């Protein structure tokens, strides 16, 4: 009998652990879900050594970073999900906020992206394909809208959270090792993308079950891009975050379908640029869309420890573009 009880307890604990490690956020009023993967708190070495092929000066010096636990999107946010935020046709289905809800904001209080003047997928596909060309402000406002719709707090990842999730416990150039010849199994990039992004999740995941951390589309983070920021950090930084003070540049991570292998490395950093709006004919140029950045998208994060309301607003309302 004791053996049976032990087995029952074991299976219950295993089930609960699996639920903690993975859940799907359902978007009210639809049958669409966003799979989220649990990332256990821990430490890792951020940045890359000078000896790494493709190393750039802004990736050093390497330093130890400790992070709190969070969930992160298994996939990049797709057009079929992002367009719900753009159209705002399902706001009426937002969940009823309870006193213990992580957020109290209503969907109708969230600023919405304007309809782009051109079709922003540029014919590369929408159903199951990653959303692109949004500004960091638009990506942050999507997170606020999703939070209002579900009652759970979502935001963009910090640069440190993104790299930790990308590395997935590894310390090589890529989450699968140093050999870029193996990229074809894990990533869409310049050599195999057929000059377009591809459906999310069609390549192998990293060791923590996350798809397209290397390639497909590069991904927004919350951080201001400062090339020397690693030099000013403590040797052991906890939850580091370079809070933005201006619109440009912000940090984009992961590389894209347009990039060479060196851009897809776990440590590679890329600054956003005003040039990403070069062909926008509007005056003033849109604060929601980057017409010349068909290589940029994003994925979302939900911290285990929910920040207070004032802190939430900071993550959603940066002077971002």
């Amino acid at each position: 009998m004791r053996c049976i009880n032990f087995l029952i307890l074991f299976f219950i604990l295993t089930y609960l652990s699996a639920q903690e490690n993975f859940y799907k956020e359902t978007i009210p009023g639809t049958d669409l879900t966003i799979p989220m993967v649990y990332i256990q708190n821990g430490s890792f070495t951020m940045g890359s050594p000078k000896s790494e092929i493709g190393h750039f000066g802004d990736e050093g010096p390497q330093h130890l970073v400790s992070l709190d636990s969070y969930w992160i999107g298994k996939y990049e946010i797709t057009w079929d999900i992002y367009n719900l935020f753009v159209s705002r046709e399902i706001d009426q289905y937002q969940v009823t906020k309870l006193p213990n809800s992580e957020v109290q904001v209503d969907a109708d209080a969230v600023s919405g992206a304007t309809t782009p003047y051109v079709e922003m997928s540029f014919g590369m596909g929408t159903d199951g394909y990653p959303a692109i060309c949004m500004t960091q402000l638009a990506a942050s406002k999507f997170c606020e809208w999703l939070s209002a719709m579900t009652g759970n707090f979502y935001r963009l990842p910090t640069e440190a959270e993104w790299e930790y999730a990308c590395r997935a416990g590894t310390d090589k150039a890529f989450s699968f090792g140093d050999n870029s010849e193996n990229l074809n199994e894990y990533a869409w990039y310049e050599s195999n993308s057929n000059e377009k992004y591809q459906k999310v999740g069609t390549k192998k995941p990293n060791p923590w079950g996350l798809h397209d951390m290397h390639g497909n589309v590069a991904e927004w983070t919350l951080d201001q891009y400062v090339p020397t920021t690693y030099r000013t950090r403590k040797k052991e930084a906890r939850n580091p975050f370079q809070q933005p003070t201006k619109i440009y540049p912000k940090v984009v991570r992961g590389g894209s379908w347009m990039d060479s292998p060196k851009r897809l490395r776990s440590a590679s950093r890329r600054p956003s640029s005003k040039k990403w709006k070069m062909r926008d004919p509007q005056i003033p140029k849109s604060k929601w869309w980057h017409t010349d950045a068909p290589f940029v998208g994003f994925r979302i994060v939900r911290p285990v420890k929910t920040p207070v309301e004032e802190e939430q607003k900071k993550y959603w309302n940066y002077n971002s573009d």
Side-chain angles (χ1 to χ4, degrees):
M1 181 62 72
R2 288 182 179 178
C3 182
I4 293 175
N5 288 338
F6 175 79
L7 288 174
I8 291 174
L9 178 60
F10 172 79
F11 285 122
I12 290 175
L13 292 176
T14 301
Y15 173 79
L16 291 176
S17 176
Q19 296 307 300
E20 181 184 56
N21 290 340
F22 178 86
Y23 76 92
K24 291 183 179 180
E25 182 64 88
T26 300
I27 302 176
T30 77
D31 58 0
L32 296 173
T33 61
I34 303 176
M36 302 294 294
V37 176
Y38 180 70
I39 307 297
Q40 177 68 48
N41 65 295
S43 301
F44 77 110
T45 300
M46 189 170 184
S48 67
K50 292 181 179 179
S51 59
E52 185 170 295
I53 297 176
H55 168 86
F56 196 71
D58 63 354
E59 298 166 20
Q62 290 182 287
H63 54 290
L64 186 66
V65 166
S66 297
L67 295 171
D68 294 335
S69 302
Y70 58 97
W71 288 274
I72 189 169
K74 185 179 181 72
Y75 309 110
E76 295 155 338
I77 294 296
T78 57
W79 276 117
D80 39 338
I81 292 174
Y82 189 73
N83 279 335
L84 296 173
F85 163 66
V86 177
S87 68
R88 305 299 291 273
E89 295 176 356
I90 64 167
D91 285 14
Q92 61 183 306
Y93 299 112
Q94 66 180 302
V95 299
T96 300
K97 306 302 187 302
L98 302 173
N100 63 343
S101 295
E102 293 180 5
V103 300
Q104 297 298 327
V105 66
D106 288 328
D108 59 8
V110 182
S111 300
T114 56
T115 303
Y117 77 97
V118 294
E119 201 278 301
M120 283 297 182
S121 76
F122 298 102
M124 292 188 289
T126 55
D127 187 15
Y129 291 88
I132 55 169
C133 292
M134 75 292 294
T135 61
Q136 197 219 40
L137 171 65
S140 292
K141 286 299 181 182
F142 169 89
C143 293
E144 183 179 9
W145 171 82
L146 181 64
S147 301
M149 291 297 293
T150 63
N152 296 323
F153 174 70
Y154 290 98
R155 59 168 170 79
L156 295 176
T158 64
E159 187 177 10
E161 289 169 338
W162 191 95
E163 185 171 327
Y164 183 52
C166 179
R167 289 188 176 279
T170 67
D171 61 0
K172 304 300 183 182
F174 307 96
S175 61
F176 52 83
D178 285 323
N179 192 348
S180 63
E181 291 181 4
N182 294 328
L183 261 180
N184 192 56
E185 299 179 44
Y186 295 86
W188 296 108
Y189 63 114
E190 65 172 1
S191 295
N192 68 355
S193 66
N194 296 316
E195 299 184 345
K196 65 186 289 291
Y197 58 49
Q198 303 293 329
K199 284 193 174 184
V200 302
T202 53
K203 291 291 186 179
K204 288 182 180 180
N206 74 6
W208 288 353
L210 304 174
H211 291 265
D212 302 312
M213 295 298 286
H214 304 298
N216 209 18
V217 294
E219 301 173 14
W220 285 113
T221 70
L222 283 170
D223 296 58
Q224 187 88 61
Y225 174 79
V226 179
T228 58
T229 190
Y230 292 3
R231 301 177 194 173
T232 62
R233 283 185 186 164
K234 297 179 180 179
K235 290 184 178 180
E236 296 185 18
R238 182 168 184 79
N239 298 316
F241 170 45
Q242 189 70 45
Q243 184 168 327
T245 58
K246 55 185 178 180
I247 294 176
Y248 294 103
K250 303 288 181 8
V251 180
V252 172
R253 287 296 206 115
S256 78
W257 57 275
M258 299 177 67
D259 291 320
S260 64
K262 67 180 181 180
R263 285 260 192 204
L264 275 64
R265 292 175 301 110
S266 298
S268 180
R269 310 172 68 209
R270 182 173 186 170
S272 62
S273 170
K274 292 181 180 179
K275 294 180 180 179
W276 294 0
K277 293 186 183 195
M278 189 179 301
R279 287 180 292 179
D280 185 348
Q282 301 173 96
I283 301 176
K285 293 183 183 295
S286 173
K287 65 180 183 178
W288 300 105
W289 300 99
H290 279 311
T291 51
D292 296 85
F295 49 82
V296 174
F298 69 103
R299 74 180 70 216
I300 60 173
V301 153
R302 180 186 176 190
V304 169
K305 183 180 179 181
T306 305
V308 297
E309 185 174 351
E310 203 58 39
E311 192 83 7
Q312 294 175 10
K313 292 178 180 178
K314 283 201 314 179
Y315 291 121
W316 294 330
N317 295 287
Y318 285 125
N319 185 24
S320 305
D321 205 344

